[in-house]
Amino acid sequence: MPPKPRIQIPAHVFVYTIAFIPGVAYAYHWYENAPTDEELEKELRKNYTHNIDTSREKHGQMNNFLRNMKDSNSDQQRKMDQILLGGRGQQKRLYAVDEKIYGTEEGAKLQKEAQQKAMTKAKRKKKKKKKAIKESDGEESQGELGKSNLEDMQQISTVKQSVAVVAVVGALAAGASIFLGGNRSQ
């Protein structure tokens, strides 16, 4: 019988050590050969000057904007107040007015026609809505049957999957006990 070794290393520790060696070697190599901060800055300036310049411009614009926001008399503050009011500070027209026909009989005719068109549109929309509601009421009973069938199929597939998983885990456990179990007769 061979002598028992003085140092015993568990198998999993040995495997993990071997697996970590390439990562540690790469990290050491990068640490030793990494560019200095000055070299990295030179490379960035050479390859990305446009991005650096636009970033500086945007930073300056943002600083200027914030500085103007602190000043209550600035033009920027007036614009922000106008935006926050949402146009409530002064009355605005939402449509153009033709001065030639405003206040004439022709203008009154055009206005009546526009109102009639709007009324017919509203009636059509109402009819479509009622029709859609009636159709959906008829389809609900058929839809409920379809939903229950779909739920049953999903339950069956879930049960099949769980049975398959239990079978696979059982097979793995049996295989592991055969190969790694050792001799029980001792």
Side-chain angles (χ1 to χ4, degrees):
M1 183 167 190
K4 199 171 191 181
R6 288 185 192 174
I7 300 174
Q8 290 184 344
I9 300 174
H12 69 282
V13 172
F14 180 73
V15 170
Y16 288 141
T17 303
I18 297 298
F20 278 122
I21 288 175
V24 171
Y26 178 74
Y28 179 74
H29 172 73
W30 185 83
Y31 178 75
E32 290 295 321
N33 299 322
T36 62
D37 290 342
E38 292 82 21
E39 291 172 351
L40 184 63
E41 187 174 342
K42 284 179 186 176
E43 186 177 331
L44 290 175
R45 286 188 191 277
K46 183 176 97 176
N47 295 333
Y48 302 103
T49 53
H50 177 69
N51 294 351
I52 293 171
D53 294 340
T54 56
S55 176
R56 284 187 181 153
E57 286 176 18
K58 288 178 183 177
H59 184 70
Q61 289 173 355
M62 183 58 86
N63 283 339
N64 191 17
F65 174 79
L66 293 174
R67 207 173 301 115
N68 286 337
M69 288 302 293
K70 289 179 185 177
D71 183 18
S72 61
N73 296 329
S74 70
D75 186 42
Q76 187 71 37
Q77 185 66 33
R78 280 188 230 109
K79 285 181 184 176
M80 290 302 288
D81 287 341
Q82 196 174 27
I83 289 170
L84 290 174
L85 286 175
R88 293 186 200 135
Q90 47 183 290
Q91 189 175 5
K92 296 182 180 179
R93 271 191 205 274
L94 301 176
Y95 53 89
V97 176
D98 190 1
E99 297 292 336
K100 296 176 189 171
I101 60 172
Y102 185 72
T104 63
E105 289 180 28
E106 185 182 353
K109 277 185 186 178
L110 291 173
Q111 185 179 10
K112 279 185 182 180
E113 289 175 9
Q115 286 176 349
Q116 287 176 351
K117 283 182 182 179
M119 292 290 286
T120 55
K121 268 189 180 180
K123 286 180 183 177
R124 277 191 231 135
K125 281 186 181 180
K126 220 176 198 181
K127 284 182 182 179
K128 281 185 181 179
K129 205 177 213 181
K130 284 182 181 179
K131 190 176 182 180
I133 290 172
K134 285 181 182 179
E135 288 177 0
S136 66
D137 287 343
E139 290 176 359
E140 278 184 7
S141 59
Q142 294 174 357
E144 289 173 5
L145 292 175
K147 286 180 186 175
S148 64
N149 288 341
L150 181 64
E151 289 173 0
D152 290 341
M153 290 174 65
Q154 286 176 344
Q155 275 185 330
I156 291 169
S157 67
T158 306
V159 169
K160 285 181 181 178
Q161 287 176 349
S162 61
V163 168
V165 168
V166 169
V168 168
V169 169
L172 286 174
S177 67
I178 289 171
F179 291 115
L180 302 175
N183 195 357
R184 289 189 176 183
S185 62
Q186 291 178 348

